[in-house]
Amino acid sequence: MTAPSSSSPLRPVIVGAGPAGVRAAEALVAHGIRPVVIDEASRAGGQIYRRPPSSLAARSANVLYGFEARRADAVHTAFDALRERIDYRPDSLVWNAQGGRLDVLHGPTRSTSSVPYSQLIVATGATDRVLPVPGWTLPGVYTLGGAQVALKFQGCAIGQRVVFMGTGPLLYLVAYQYAKAGAKVAAVLDTSRFADQLAATPAMLRQPAVFAKGVYYVAWLRAHGVALHGGVRPLRVLGDAAESRVAGVAWHDGREERTLACDAVGFGYALRSETQLADLLGCRFEFASLHRAHLPVRDAAGRSSVRGVYLAGDGAGIMGADAAEWAGERAALALLADGGVAVDTARAAMLERRLHKLGTFRQGLERAFPVPHDWAAHAPDELVVCRCENITAGTLRQTVAENGADEMNRLKALSRVGMGRCQGRMCGVAAAEILAHATGQPVQQVGRLRGQAPIKPIPIHLATPAPSTEGAGA
Amino acid sequence: MTGRKTLRTDVAVVGGGIVGASAALALRKMGIGVVLLERDLCGSRSSGVNYGGVRRQGRPVSQLPLAQRAHRIWGNLRETIGTDGEYLRSGHFKIARSEADMASLEQYRTKSRDFDLGLELISAARLRERCPWLGTRAVGGSLCAEDGQANPRLVSPAFALAAQRAGAQIFERHKVDEVAHDGKGFLLRSGNALEVRAPALLNCAGAWSGPIAEYFGEAVPLRSSHPVMAVTEPVPHFMDWSLGVEGGGIYCRQVARGNLVLGGGRGIALDADRARADRDAIATLAAQAVELLPTLRHAHFIRTWSGTEGNLPDHQPVLGPSRTTPGLFHGFGFSGAGFQIGPAAGEVLAELVRDGRSSTPIESFSIERFFAAAATAEDAAADKTPTPTSP
Ligand SMILES: Cc1cc2nc3c(=O)[nH]c(=O)nc-3n(C[C@H](O)[C@H](O)[C@H](O)COP(=O)(O)OP(=O)(O)OC[C@H]3O[C@@H](n4cnc5c(N)ncnc54)[C@H](O)[C@@H]3O)c2cc1C
Ligand SMILES: Cc1cc2nc3c(=O)[nH]c(=O)nc-3n(C[C@H](O)[C@H](O)[C@H](O)COP(=O)(O)OP(=O)(O)OC[C@H]3O[C@@H](n4cnc5c(N)ncnc54)[C@H](O)[C@@H]3O)c2cc1C
């Protein structure tokens, strides 16, 4: 393989050490390049293959990742093998991008640096897609991802008697993981109907192994007496007498209202991409109906609209962990080729074909677990949509009615939704649904919140970047 | 086969910032017909993203008549636009960091004496007592108790809504891409959607006013500037005043929710329309903020931003009639300080349309000032007789 010419040294930076970032780094290293890999987490693996802190490392991969153990192992092993050949910066949050440099906050030393890049692979992954329900701010309510992180990372369950609610493949997976770990799963409440899943079966069979896993989780949960309800409409999370903790959930099953006691709730509606960095980098966004979201556009190889910036993994559209690995490698090959390095074009084409094929499967998933499109219609006025700023659905509707807000940034300006610490990362999806419903527009028309630095809050006294750290750690 | 709509009206306004929208509102109150075209959303540019300082203190004396007029409008904000826009006469305190600063604040008080700003000089000892939260670099300052702050995100769109309620026809997402004068009146076009004909035209397009002025033969050195803004997470309430610093650098205020809004330094333009905070400016702002208010040391920035403002070399706006085209009036180039005086600038523009003159002195803002030198040269060339040089 050809090394890059020394006259144009490639100094690529990868943001994110999940499956996409790890495979991208591996491909770069294989071509003689030493990339910088920056990740907010303290250990590589990303969301799905998140590794517990070393103090908890006694649990086996099998316990932690189940069916994913082999893949998790593979990603971790690949990363560990790269460790000496990359400039790895864990615990490092990229909070800003400007003029060919990233501003990075290193948590443990509480220091900042400015990291230059010649090319950038953005592999920032995803977080839960949240559509709140009254009572969701009670202690004891977690997102599905949060519930899973507690289990994988902290080695604890969110409660003794847990209800999982929402939709998406993660719903059954997390319920299964909890039940296997010995927690009592009181019920799984799925807003999609089992008929949806049946109708989607042909498309989902494009990934028979993944499909089989899903079927297995459901069957396992049933066999172990976990109540599974489809086609539900969550009504509210019930609090105890003092409203100080979760005491149960109420939902509508199509015929009547039902309730169930529990001491914790995990909920979520699949995932949403972390796109702020791509936004700050100036990438062009478009509405992707498959993902029901505005996403940075990329070509089949992962090139964004900005020269030298590549997008891979869930951060550019939720496609799952396997796709993230392929997309990471593919983006790295594109980066190399664009930088004049000879790459295996057959391999690149094969990765593209795999990614392309996955599209059908993804459509199947959407069909099996559709976002409840009528969520906004049923969200009561008093429902808190934005918990940083305590903005309710009613306030949003009133802002539309009285001030004519018909676009997300205007809604934000007038109501403060998305103005808090999370900058709309959590509430943005729900606010867009409410706005679309209240104005009678399709959700793609209401636009998206424009990204602003910092990507996550930064301590004021750390906003001063240290002198350039070019080459540091190399 | 065009679906273009044609409207005839008394006054066409380009730009729905606080200046254009308040002009539209004032015109409607005079019973004059108005069509306003805004390329984006009313109040979404400078007027909606600024720091929210509503201050007269520190303005050049030539702006004070306008600022006083605006002060009265702000005092009636709720009646005028239907919302208080979080406007507070919280006091604006200008900090001195040296004896020289203190002296210049004192001078300003003397210079502005005719305008009844009620400036109160506060010495170091009293300041410590009154504001233990101020960092040690402050050696005193000047308080204008009736100056204050407001929420621009709410105030500026509300001016446009009020104008609309008063009968102005407002077209958002309608960019004016052609202006002309056919000898009888003005003609504006927004793509294939809309054509507006009116005998009078207000150029209130903010940082983008230059090309319109230039079209009418009045090229002025208008440049874009991009002040940097940042906001912290909410912290326990400790400060009522809006703070500024003599000599500039940083300004900050605390909103009811507890967040600190800070400004200072220059951002970067992403393109002609959009800007963003700059990393070095954020760093400088952060350092200054902690020096000014040590309690902020442990706070977090949650958001930074900037905007695009029209700047003129003498930091004074152009406000007044065109020198070439009857019926054309300019109101732009507020150079980072147009939020407070914007509503008064709007009223002045309306008066100019109706009466041909304004009851508030605006001579200093005449567009003539950019042509005076050229005009003198032309005169001199035309008239060969030697002119006596004035001392
Ligand atoms: C909580 C959660 C649990 C999941 N569990 C499963 C599961 O059990 N099974 C399954 O099939 N799929 C799961 N998924 C989906 C799965 O995460 C993805 O398909 C896969 O991990 C995508 O890989 P990726 O490399 O694109 O991103 P990720 O694995 O998400 O990795 C992205 C990395 O980027 C880092 N990062 C993001 N922004 C920044 C920044 N600004 N600065 C520095 N670092 C940054 C993150 O810390 C993270 O380590 C889960 C997703 C989430 C959010
Ligand atoms: C970050 C920042 C902080 C500031 N802080 C303060 C402060 O604390 N106090 C203070 O007094 N002032 C402050 N200012 C200045 C103040 O915001 C401006 O002077 C004032 O808002 C200018 O108002 P405007 O109506 O002239 O301009 P704008 O608000 O920019 O309005 C002009 C409008 O014209 C529209 N437009 C442009 N071209 C066209 C076209 N061809 N067709 C249709 N529409 C068009 C634009 O979209 C825009 O909405 C600040 C400015 C900024 C940017």
Side-chain angles (χ1 to χ4, degrees), chain A residues 15-21 38-41 43 45-50 68 92-95 123-128 144-146 148-149 152 170 173-174 177 271 274 277 312-315 318-322 324 455-456:
Chain A
V15 182
I38 303 175
D39 193 290
E40 198 188 348
R43 302 190 69 192
Q47 296 289 9
I48 175 169
Y49 307 134
R50 182 181 286 269
E68 261 63 68
S92 297
L93 167 75
V94 175
W95 63 269
T124 45
T127 57
D128 293 271
L144 287 173
Q148 197 188 41
V149 168
K152 273 192 210 169
L170 214 52
L173 171 65
V174 179
Q177 289 170 333
L271 302 172
E274 278 288 343
L277 180 56
D314 276 0
I318 307 301
M319 297 296 279
D322 295 352
I455 289 174
K456 287 188 182 170

Side-chain angles (χ1 to χ4, degrees), chain B residues 15-152:
Chain B
I18 196 164
V19 176
S22 55
L25 176 61
L27 285 163
R28 283 307 304 145
K29 286 186 174 163
M30 297 170 177
I32 297 171
V34 183
V35 174
L36 182 152
L37 283 84
E38 163 57 49
R39 168 184 73 170
D40 191 352
L41 297 173
C42 289
S44 64
R45 298 305 174 131
S46 267
S47 299
V49 302
N50 65 60
Y51 163 73
V54 183
R55 59 158 185 91
R56 298 162 294 166
Q57 175 169 219
R59 288 183 184 274
V61 172
S62 56
Q63 282 189 18
L64 288 178
L66 204 55
Q68 288 296 69
R69 183 170 184 168
H71 188 62
R72 291 190 290 275
I73 304 175
W74 284 100
N76 284 320
L77 196 66
R78 185 175 271 289
E79 298 80 272
T80 310
I81 61 172
T83 169
D84 67 6
E86 296 173 12
Y87 172 58
L88 285 176
R89 290 194 168 168
S90 60
H92 169 257
F93 187 68
K94 196 151 218 185
I95 291 173
R97 289 183 289 195
S98 66
E99 288 312 317
D101 285 350
M102 207 58 200
S104 94
L105 289 173
E106 201 155 351
Q107 266 168 28
Y108 185 80
R109 185 172 62 166
T110 313
K111 271 197 305 196
S112 62
R113 190 142 274 159
D114 292 347
F115 293 94
D116 197 23
L117 302 183
L119 299 180
E120 180 198 352
L121 292 176
I122 299 183
S123 67
R126 262 188 65 219
L127 197 55
R128 293 277 158 269
E129 205 174 287
R130 193 157 164 183
C131 330
W133 36 265
L134 259 184
T136 49
R137 278 215 48 203
V139 304
S142 167
L143 176 67
C144 183
E146 293 234 311
D147 277 357
Q149 48 186 301
N151 188 335

Side-chain angles (χ1 to χ4, degrees), chain B residues 14-20 37-41 43-54 59 174-177 204-208 212 225 227-229 251 305-309 331-332 334-341:
Chain B
V14 188
I18 196 164
V19 176
L37 283 84
E38 163 57 49
R39 168 184 73 170
D40 191 352
L41 297 173
S44 64
R45 298 305 174 131
S46 267
S47 299
V49 302
N50 65 60
Y51 163 73
V54 183
R59 288 183 184 274
H174 278 71
K175 179 171 191 248
V176 173
D177 32 36
C204 305
W208 305 272
I212 300 175
S225 73
V228 166
M229 309 297 307
Y251 34 102
W305 71 97
S306 181
T308 303
E309 163 77 328
F332 65 81
F334 288 84
S335 305
F339 184 54
Q340 192 271 343
I341 54 175

Side-chain angles (χ1 to χ4, degrees), chain A residues 98 389 410 413 419 421, chain B residues 42 153 233 257 278 303:
Chain A
Q98 181 189 324
E389 295 290 329
R410 175 48 51 116
M419 279 209 177
R421 289 180 63 91
Chain B
C42 289
R153 294 182 284 108
E233 64 197 331
R257 208 154 131 50
D278 163 77
R303 191 167 67 248

Side-chain angles (χ1 to χ4, degrees), chain A residues 13-39:
Chain A
V13 173
I14 299 168
V15 182
V22 170
R23 292 303 179 194
E26 187 178 47
L28 294 179
V29 166
H31 288 78
I33 292 185
R34 182 185 174 89
V36 178
V37 178
I38 303 175
D39 193 290

